[in-house]
Amino acid sequence: MIGQAIADGILTGAIIALGAIGISLSLQILRFANFGHGDILTLGAYSALTFTAIATAGVPIGPVSFGWQFLVAMLIAALVAGSAAILIDAIVYNRLRSRNAHRLTMIFASFGVALVLRNLVLLIWGPDVHYYSRELQIAVEILPNVRVMPDQIVVLGLTFAVVIFFYLVLRLTRIGMAMRAMAESPTLAGICGVEIRKMIRIAWFIAGSLAAMAGVFLGLTVQLRPEMGFNLLLAVFAAAILGGSGSLFGAVIGGLLVGLAENLSVLVVPAGYKTAMPFLLLMLVLYIRPHGLFGTPEKH
Amino acid sequence: MIGIVSYLVFFLTVVLIFGIACLGLNLQWGFTGVFNAGVVAFYAIGAYTHAIITAPPHPLLIANLGLPWPVGVLGAMAAAALAALIVGIATVRLRGDYLAIATFGIAVTVQLITLNWQSLTGGSLGFTSIPRPFAGYFDGQLSYNIFFLGLVAAATVLVYWGLERVVRSPWGRVLRAIREDEVAAVALGKDARLFRLQAFVLGSVIIGLAGALHASFIGFVSPFDFLPILTFQIWTMLIVGGSGNNRGALLGALIVWGLWSGSGVLVSKVLPPEFQTQGAAAQSILIGLLLVVMLVFKPRGLIGEEPVVSRHVG
């Protein structure tokens, strides 16, 4: 039982972590808590669905339920969601920023954007549950009494590949350096020649495309529903804050802890309360260590 | 004719109940700059507490105390205060984003409790037969509804009057000072955290009151009456009307609820039954767009905050 819960927790946690990196970015570089993030995730998942509906998910490779077409669908989803995020910034957030609107006004606006996005998905794709593929999969027993789907293992591997790629980008490239500078101080970064507008667009693109991948993975291992992203939002926020905003590996660890907490909670409390676990974890962190496990206390 | 009158009475009662919730949010956001992303949680806490206190005993439910209506209303307000205190103490010292996330979390949690704690809340079915106050004195539905409208109107006037007094008092001035420049307020010796916590709790109590009125007006509660969309609706009311202005909060409630129920009627009349879900989605998009458009183009709302100048000037 406990082994299975841990395995499930790690798999959910990896998906949450992908979402949490984007939230962490918006807290640091865009400087507000973006409540529209969950619905960008949904949009990404559904754009991949449209592609697989046309091109199919491909002939299954080995034990997994999809073929190479699905990986293309994933990239398309990342592109669509990343571009949508940039577009929304140009239409809404940029105007608010140029008016020097309060950070909380931005959050307000992000709730409005979330509502519009979620219901657009509902309008376009309808309220029903969707799946990428109807292929049957046989769970493999990786440890005694611990079974996982082949898809889940692939998802886990892809997640870690994406995280490491992103880490290298942030550490080694000039864009990464500019981003870290902006997280420290946008004004100072601007003086040093960092193109603030461009960096903001890149941050949106990264946050959006990572969210889309999280959405695709969630759709692959669970199912697609119009509220999938919105329902994941609290877990994603909890992970980002737990890890300490601005810390990439913090977000990953935070995601894994939230995923584990959700799945282990089922052993002690009724399963209906599973989705409240991130909130309890979040309150605990805010009481004890508000800057998160790996963050540094905010200076005033 | 009677149909129109009874609809109008019903409509106005709902507007005023939302108006009261909007006034509560206005104290938090409009005057103090405290973000509450979980309006629906405090509203639902108020409604459920009221229902549990006043509904007659039921074999399957543990609480249902069958106590008088005023006890239910006060209990609802106390429960909302307690919930606000728990969230508030953890978050007022943090930046506003965290309060937004934490209040959003309490909304999710409250919804889960209403769905899952069957022996207390009746689970997904909720429960009915919440007594309507003084119902025994009226024989007709319409005459009772008119009476209830009067009751809600009295509550609205009371809350409005109280808040107008409060925000013009020295305490209210401190709230606005904190909203405008927290550092300056702290430098003048004001404990910004304490004031923010007070405003957050008081605002939540008012939202809880609105929830209690909702429960006793509708006569039943279920988790599906308190969906996240309610938070957006009440916010949009405040932003459209003009945050920082109590009259704006009430005007916003009238306009946004008018748009919402008007578009709802349109959807149910014009669209065939198989497209009702899409119609409801379009309604939500309307609310979201309204919120964003107002924030971008008219952030002050229809009647924004009045500029305040000291009476000693000039």
Side-chain angles (χ1 to χ4, degrees):
Chain A
M1 265 307 265
I2 207 162
Q4 186 65 51
I6 289 173
D8 290 341
I10 289 173
L11 291 163
T12 328
I15 293 172
I16 294 171
L18 275 183
I21 295 171
I23 285 288
S24 194
L25 262 185
S26 28
L27 282 171
Q28 281 290 303
I29 292 174
L30 310 168
R31 297 189 174 262
F32 74 103
N34 177 18
F35 279 81
H37 197 65
D39 297 292
I40 288 281
L41 185 152
T42 313
L43 180 71
Y46 274 87
S47 359
L49 180 71
T50 298
F51 182 82
T52 55
I54 300 165
T56 76
V59 180
I61 307 170
V64 297
S65 71
F66 53 84
W68 61 269
Q69 286 89 339
F70 187 74
L71 297 177
V72 179
M74 190 180 88
L75 291 179
I76 288 176
L79 208 64
V80 169
S83 315
I86 294 178
L87 188 70
I88 294 166
D89 183 69
I91 297 172
V92 180
Y93 302 119
N94 188 38
R95 287 172 204 259
L96 292 173
R97 233 186 341 261
S98 56
R99 209 181 64 211
N100 272 324
H102 197 279
R103 169 152 81 185
L104 295 176
T105 306
M106 307 278 273
I107 303 185
F108 254 122
S110 78
F111 262 104
V113 168
L115 196 60
V116 173
L117 277 178
R118 183 160 62 259
N119 285 286
L120 276 179
V121 167
L122 190 61
L123 209 58
I124 299 171
W125 285 282
D128 301 330
V129 167
H130 290 284
Y131 297 90
Y132 289 123
S133 155
R134 294 274 175 193
E135 292 288 338
L136 283 176
Q137 281 196 90
I138 299 153
V140 283
E141 194 165 13
I142 49 167
L143 287 170
N145 287 322
V146 179
R147 286 166 205 282
V148 292
M149 296 290 179
D151 280 1
Q152 292 179 314
I153 298 173
V154 175
V155 162
L156 197 63
L158 281 174
T159 303
F160 281 102
V162 168
V163 169
I164 288 166
F165 171 75
F166 184 58
Y167 174 78
L168 293 177
V169 168
L170 214 53
R171 282 287 135 191
L172 302 178
T173 65
R174 290 187 65 82
I175 288 174
M177 195 160 79
M179 286 212 151
R180 280 180 289 141
M182 266 192 66
E184 289 282 321
S185 159
T187 326
L188 212 54
I191 293 168
C192 295
V194 172
E195 290 174 77
I196 303 284
R197 280 292 306 136
K198 187 177 150 198
M199 284 304 138
I200 285 178
R201 279 199 296 272
I202 294 176
W204 274 115
F205 187 82
I206 294 174
S209 48
L210 289 181
M213 287 191 194
V216 171
F217 293 160
L218 190 65
L220 182 67
T221 49
V222 190
Q223 55 187 208
L224 291 118
R225 282 164 48 208
E227 351 38 289
M228 59 192 280
F230 190 69
N231 289 345
L232 199 70
L233 195 58
L234 190 57
V236 168
F237 269 122
I241 293 171
L242 190 64
S245 68
S247 157
L248 176 72
F249 279 108
V252 175
I253 303 288
L256 291 175
L257 285 177
V258 170
L260 284 172
E262 273 194 3
N263 284 283
L264 288 173
S265 74
V266 182
L267 303 176
V268 267
V269 294
Y273 291 107
K274 192 173 155 184
T275 37
M277 286 306 126
F279 175 66
L280 291 182
L281 215 53
L282 180 71
M283 291 303 277
L284 201 67
V285 172
L286 291 181
Y287 265 108
I288 299 168
R289 201 176 156 86
H291 49 275
L293 296 175
F294 303 98
T296 39
E298 210 173 309
K299 292 174 282 285
H300 287 287
Chain B
M1 190 58 201
I2 293 289
I4 294 174
V5 170
S6 63
Y7 181 74
L8 213 61
V9 168
F10 182 86
F11 174 79
L12 280 178
T13 310
V14 177
V15 164
L16 288 181
I17 291 175
F18 283 148
I20 292 173
C22 201
L23 286 171
L25 181 67
N26 194 24
L27 179 66
Q28 298 174 335
W29 169 251
F31 290 105
T32 324
V34 167
F35 200 95
N36 183 354
V39 175
V40 66
F42 300 99
Y43 195 84
I45 288 173
Y48 266 94
T49 310
H50 180 79
I52 288 165
I53 290 176
T54 59
H58 186 282
L60 293 176
L61 299 169
I62 48 173
N64 285 27
L65 305 169
L67 292 171
W69 188 76
V71 182
V73 172
L74 290 177
M77 291 162 79
L82 188 67
L85 208 57
I86 294 171
V87 184
I89 288 173
T91 47
V92 276
R93 64 210 163 97
L94 304 167
R95 36 182 257 205
D97 311 36
Y98 290 88
L99 186 64
I101 298 165
T103 46
F104 178 71
I106 198 171
V108 172
T109 311
V110 166
Q111 202 189 7
L112 285 177
I113 293 174
T114 57
L115 268 171
N116 290 303
W117 194 351
Q118 292 219 357
S119 55
L120 185 72
T121 65
S124 57
L125 295 175
F127 56 97
T128 50
S129 66
I130 298 160
R132 313 184 73 190
F134 311 106
Y137 300 97
F138 297 88
D139 38 13
Q141 182 70 19
L142 180 60
S143 59
Y144 180 77
N145 281 355
I146 292 173
F147 160 76
F148 199 91
L149 177 61
L151 190 71
V152 173
T156 312
V157 168
L158 200 67
V159 170
Y160 176 83
W161 176 79
L163 282 177
E164 284 288 299
R165 289 287 301 265
V166 156
V167 297
R168 281 174 170 71
S169 70
W171 187 77
R173 281 200 295 276
V174 176
L175 296 187
R176 267 172 291 159
I178 290 168
R179 183 193 66 189
E180 292 302 318
D181 190 339
E182 186 173 332
V183 176
V186 173
L188 290 170
K190 306 298 178 194
D191 185 346
R193 287 174 191 176
L194 186 64
F195 278 94
R196 270 210 304 265
L197 183 63
Q198 288 167 346
F200 182 63
V201 171
L202 184 57
S204 301
V205 164
I206 295 170
I207 297 170
L209 166 69
L213 291 171
H214 175 116
S216 52
F217 178 56
I218 305 292
F220 65 87
V221 287
S222 89
F224 307 104
D225 297 324
F226 310 104
L227 295 174
I229 181 83
L230 191 71
T231 301
F232 298 108
Q233 287 167 338
I234 291 170
W235 272 359
T236 310
M237 289 168 188
L238 184 60
I239 299 295
V240 167
S243 66
N245 186 323
N246 286 328
R247 278 179 298 124
L250 293 175
L251 177 71
L254 180 67
I255 292 174
V256 172
W257 192 247
L259 279 176
W260 178 264
S261 33
S263 60
V265 170
L266 199 70
V267 162
S268 64
K269 288 266 192 301
V270 174
L271 290 179
E274 63 268 29
F275 288 110
Q276 289 298 321
T277 330
Q278 278 82 350
Q283 262 186 298
S284 299
I285 292 176
L286 183 74
I287 291 288
L289 281 181
L290 193 60
L291 180 62
V292 173
V293 165
M294 286 303 283
L295 283 172
V296 170
F297 295 106
K298 202 163 166 44
R300 273 172 50 80
L302 291 176
I303 38 174
E305 189 170 2
E306 294 156 15
V308 184
V309 180
S310 166
R311 62 193 141 92
H312 302 295
V313 172

